[in-house]
């Protein structure tokens, strides 16, 4: 959803502007602007980014992240790659899960299926 949306057919780029929000079964992202590359699945969100990533059911416990709680984040920008397996937050990044918090100028989160 967004106040304004465009599809650039030749490049398969979708741009959402103004209260942009995208979601699927893996989570949701809201920002001032979201750009989605349909060819690669890469996404760039900018301006007041808020995201929620649901736990990866295939992730085993024992890592820093809990496999049973969503990962929340806020930042100035968010970029995803590798079908959301790599997520980078820039600009006053704040990630949290339960009582655990991580604050940084830049923060990356990545998941590997089967881990």
């Amino acid at each position: 959803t967004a106040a304004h949306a465009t599809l650039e057919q030749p490049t398969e780029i979708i741009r959402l502007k103004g209260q942009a929000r995208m979601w699927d079964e893996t989570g949701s992202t809201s920002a001032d602007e979201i750009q989605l590359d349909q060819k690669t699945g890469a996404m760039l969100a900018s301006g007041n980014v808020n995201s929620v990533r649901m736990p990866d059911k295939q992730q085993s416990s024992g890592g820093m992240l809990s496999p049973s709680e969503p990962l929340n984040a806020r930042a100035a920008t968010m970029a995803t790659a590798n079908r959301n397996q790599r997520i980078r937050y820039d600009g006053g990044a704040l990630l949290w899960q339960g009582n655990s918090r991580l604050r940084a100028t830049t923060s990356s989160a990545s998941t590997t299926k089967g881990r």
Side-chain angles (χ1 to χ4, degrees):
T1 64
H4 180 74
T6 58
L7 168 62
E8 296 172 12
Q9 191 64 40
T11 59
E12 295 187 43
I13 301 287
I14 296 173
R15 295 181 198 277
L16 304 174
K17 293 184 180 182
Q19 298 177 337
R21 184 168 187 265
M22 293 180 57
W23 66 93
D24 63 16
E25 66 280 352
T26 65
S28 66
T29 301
S30 63
D32 295 339
E33 184 174 343
I34 298 174
Q35 178 178 303
L36 176 65
D37 184 331
Q38 292 197 122
K39 288 180 185 176
T40 66
M43 179 181 69
L44 176 62
S46 58
N48 301 304
V49 176
N50 285 286
S51 75
V52 177
R53 175 137 172 100
M54 300 310 291
D56 186 347
K57 304 276 190 255
Q58 297 176 351
Q59 181 180 358
S60 64
S61 59
M64 184 175 159
L65 299 176
S66 168
S68 62
E69 294 184 61
L71 176 66
N72 298 277
R74 281 193 304 232
T77 64
M78 170 187 169
T80 70
N82 200 19
R83 302 282 178 203
N84 287 339
Q85 295 304 303
R86 164 111 34 227
I87 304 171
R88 180 181 171 111
Y89 300 93
D90 285 304
L94 172 64
L95 278 72
W96 72 94
Q97 186 181 59
N99 292 328
S100 299
R101 303 258 188 269
L102 174 65
R103 188 180 307 267
T105 303
T106 299
S107 181
S108 294
S110 66
T111 60
T112 304
K113 294 199 181 250
R115 276 181 86 184

